[in-house]
Amino acid sequence: MSDDEREEKELDLTSSEVVTKYKSAAEIVNKALQLVVKECKPKAKIVDICEKGDAFIREQTGNMYKNSKKKIERGVAFPTCLSVNNTVCHFSPLASDTSELEEGDMVKIDMGCHIDGFIAVVAHTHVVQSGPITGKQADVVAAANTAAEVALRLVRPGKKNKDVSDAIQKVAAAYDCKIVEGVLSHQLKQFVIDGNKVILSVSNPDTRVDDAEFEENEVYAVDIVASTGEGKPKLLDEKQTTIFKRAVDKNYHLKMKASRFIFSEINQRFPILPFTARALEEKRARLGLVECVNHDLLQPYPVLYEKPGDYVAHIKFTVLLMPNGSDRITSHPLQELQPTKMIDDPEIKAWLALGTKTKKKGGGKKKKGKKGDKAEGGAEGEAMDASTNGGAS
C-alpha cells in the first residue's frame, strides 16, 4: 500500500483510530457545553462564558496525545458563541464587550473541538430560568429539537439531502415556527468544517445546492435553527463580526502594516479552522481584519438577527454514518418543555419512529457511548414522546 493510499484510508471512519478521535473530540465538546450551560446565569458576562468554553476545550485537548511522536494538532474547532433571543448566530464578543445575560434570556450555545483535525461540533438552546420552558419559547425549542431528531433519522446512507430539508421545514411548521434560511449542514472531513456535501435548511431561488446522497462512513454536522419569526435573518452591524476563517485558496498583497502583521499571525496560529478575533490584540485586529476581509483572505461568520421579540432556537449535532447505523456523538439534555403545539402529523410521527441503528444478524458488541444516546432522548417534553419511543438505538 502506498503512503497516499494509507493516508486516504486513515481519513475515513473505516479506521478505528479516526472514530476514536471523533468520539474523543465529542466527549470534550459535550463536557465544555455542560460547563457553559452551568455558567449561563443572570448578570453573567457573555464574553467571560465564551472564554471559559474555549479555555476548557484547549485545556482538555492539550492533555491528549502529549507523548505522541507525531505532532497532533488539537483544540478549538469553532469558537464558543452565545447568541441571545433574536440573535441568530455567531455572537462571540471581544474582551471589551459588556453584554450580560438576563433572567428569561434564550441562549444559543455553539462550539466545536477537534483532535488531529477530526471535528465534533454542537449547538444547544438554554433558557436562563429554573422550571419548565413554556409558550413560544417552548414551541421554538421543540421545533428545533424535533427537526433535529427527524434529521438524525433521515441523514443515512441512501437518503438525499433534499429529503432532510423538506422534512425539517414540515416539522417547524407543525409548531408554527420557521426554519431559518441560509443555514447549511456540512459534511465534516479532517480539518474541513465546511465540506462540499451540504444540507440546505430552506431551498429558495437565491440559494441552490447540489443534490447529494449520504454514504456510509461519512460524518455530518447537522445544523437546525428555528425561529418564531420569519426565518429571514439580517446582518445589522459588520463590526460585530468576530469569527473568521482563513480562505486558503485566496492570496493578496496587503497594503497596511497592521493587516500584514495580523494576517501573518492568523496564518501561523489559525491556518485552517475558524478563530475568534479575541485571540488577537484587539486594537491591531480591528484595523487589520478589515483589509483582510475586503480582499477575501478571510471568510467572516457574521452575527445575524431576526426581528426584536422573535425567539430563535439552535440545535446542532455531529453524526457518524457507521456501518451499524447513525451514531450521534454530540448533544445535551434539554430543559423541560411545555409547548403549546403537539405533533399530530402522521408523516412526522413515522419519521420519529424510525430507528437510527441498522439491524444486523448475530449478537454484535454492545455499543459504547450510551451517555450521548441518553442525552439525545432525555428531556424532550411531551410533544416529542414519539422520538423517545422510536427505539433510537
Side-chain angles (χ1 to χ4, degrees):
M1 192 192 285
S2 74
D3 280 356
D4 283 354
E5 282 175 324
R6 189 175 296 118
E7 191 66 5
E8 188 54 44
K9 188 168 165 30
E10 284 170 359
L11 303 187
D12 185 309
L13 294 180
T14 49
S15 153
S16 63
E17 194 185 341
V18 167
V19 174
T20 300
K21 285 173 180 171
Y22 272 117
K23 289 193 171 181
S24 301
E27 196 177 336
I28 290 170
V29 84
N30 285 335
K31 283 181 180 162
L33 174 56
Q34 219 172 339
L35 170 93
V36 167
V37 167
K38 281 190 184 134
E39 294 289 331
C40 288
K41 298 177 181 130
K43 298 286 170 252
K45 259 175 82 174
I46 291 177
V47 65
D48 293 348
I49 304 175
C50 292
E51 274 298 333
K52 282 178 183 167
D54 290 351
F56 181 86
I57 291 173
R58 283 195 297 268
E59 177 197 322
Q60 295 292 311
T61 52
N63 292 334
M64 301 186 74
Y65 295 100
K66 274 182 171 169
N67 304 321
S68 169
K69 288 190 176 73
K70 184 181 141 210
K71 182 173 186 280
I72 290 190
E73 299 281 340
R74 55 214 191 277
V76 174
F78 197 83
T80 305
C81 302
L82 262 69
S83 306
V84 177
N85 297 332
N86 64 312
T87 313
V88 176
C89 55
H90 305 148
F91 190 77
S92 189
L94 297 175
S96 55
D97 188 274
T98 56
S99 314
E100 293 179 344
L101 295 179
E102 302 295 342
E103 180 76 27
D105 276 350
M106 177 172 254
V107 187
K108 275 82 63 195
I109 302 159
D110 189 4
M111 59 204 315
C113 169
H114 81 95
I115 289 168
D116 196 18
F118 297 104
I119 298 163
V121 287
V122 69
H124 174 74
T125 301
H126 177 79
V127 178
V128 183
Q129 67 179 51
S130 52
I133 305 173
T134 58
K136 278 193 162 183
Q137 285 188 327
D139 288 345
V140 75
V141 176
N145 186 65
T146 309
E149 290 290 340
V150 166
L152 172 64
R153 287 152 175 78
L154 295 182
V155 176
R156 57 198 314 166
K159 292 274 187 197
K160 303 260 192 325
N161 54 355
K162 191 180 179 305
D163 302 337
V164 182
S165 307
D166 294 346
I168 62 174
Q169 287 173 70
K170 186 168 188 175
V171 170
Y175 287 99
D176 214 2
C177 293
K178 291 262 183 11
I179 292 291
V180 170
E181 291 182 9
V183 178
L184 294 172
S185 296
H186 287 274
Q187 184 183 2
L188 299 172
K189 293 184 172 182
Q190 190 181 27
F191 289 109
V192 179
I193 201 166
D194 49 4
N196 292 334
K197 263 190 172 181
V198 297
I199 305 161
L200 186 60
S201 58
V202 179
S203 30
N204 61 29
D206 307 336
T207 334
R208 289 270 163 84
V209 299
D210 293 338
D211 287 342
E213 189 175 295
F214 307 115
E215 293 172 49
E216 200 171 279
N217 296 316
E218 291 180 335
V219 181
Y220 285 88
V222 178
D223 206 346
I224 311 279
V225 186
S227 170
T228 59
E230 290 175 10
K232 297 177 189 293
K234 302 269 186 297
L235 171 66
L236 298 185
D237 181 2
E238 275 179 15
K239 290 194 188 73
Q240 282 193 322
T241 305
T242 59
I243 295 177
F244 302 90
K245 182 169 81 75
R246 171 79 173 94
V248 282
D249 53 341
K250 296 280 194 296
N251 286 298
Y252 174 79
H253 186 69
L254 294 158
K255 306 285 185 283
M256 284 168 54
K257 193 176 172 185
S259 310
R260 291 198 297 273
F261 181 89
I262 283 293
F263 191 59
S264 157
E265 188 179 352
I266 290 165
N267 276 332
Q268 282 165 19
R269 294 175 57 200
F270 312 109
I272 301 173
L273 291 169
F275 64 92
T276 163
R278 264 198 318 279
L280 309 166
E281 198 273 313
E282 193 166 322
K283 201 170 172 193
R284 201 176 244 155
R286 276 187 194 281
L287 283 170
L289 287 169
V290 176
E291 193 185 2
C292 295
V293 171
N294 287 346
H295 293 285
D296 300 327
L297 295 176
L298 297 176
Q299 175 192 325
Y301 287 78
V303 181
L304 301 175
Y305 291 87
E306 280 278 69
K307 293 193 173 81
D310 292 342
Y311 288 115
V312 180
H314 188 186
I315 303 272
K316 175 161 56 179
F317 62 87
T318 304
V319 62
L320 313 181
L321 303 189
M322 303 294 284
N324 65 341
S326 304
D327 192 356
R328 175 179 178 167
I329 56 172
T330 59
S331 60
H332 189 284
L334 292 171
Q335 292 155 287
E336 188 193 334
L337 300 179
Q338 295 178 352
T340 67
K341 307 275 187 295
M342 300 289 276
I343 293 284
D344 294 321
D345 186 285
E347 190 176 21
I348 298 175
K349 284 184 166 177
W351 286 326
L352 289 168
L354 294 169
T356 58
K357 294 287 166 269
T358 312
K359 300 235 179 332
K360 293 253 167 135
K361 284 182 184 157
K365 269 209 223 143
K366 211 157 188 225
K367 201 178 95 277
K368 265 178 79 179
K370 271 293 162 206
K371 262 193 294 195
D373 291 353
K374 204 164 67 198
E376 154 202 322
E380 279 154 14
E382 297 163 48
M384 284 139 290
D385 279 350
S387 68
T388 49
N389 297 341
S393 41

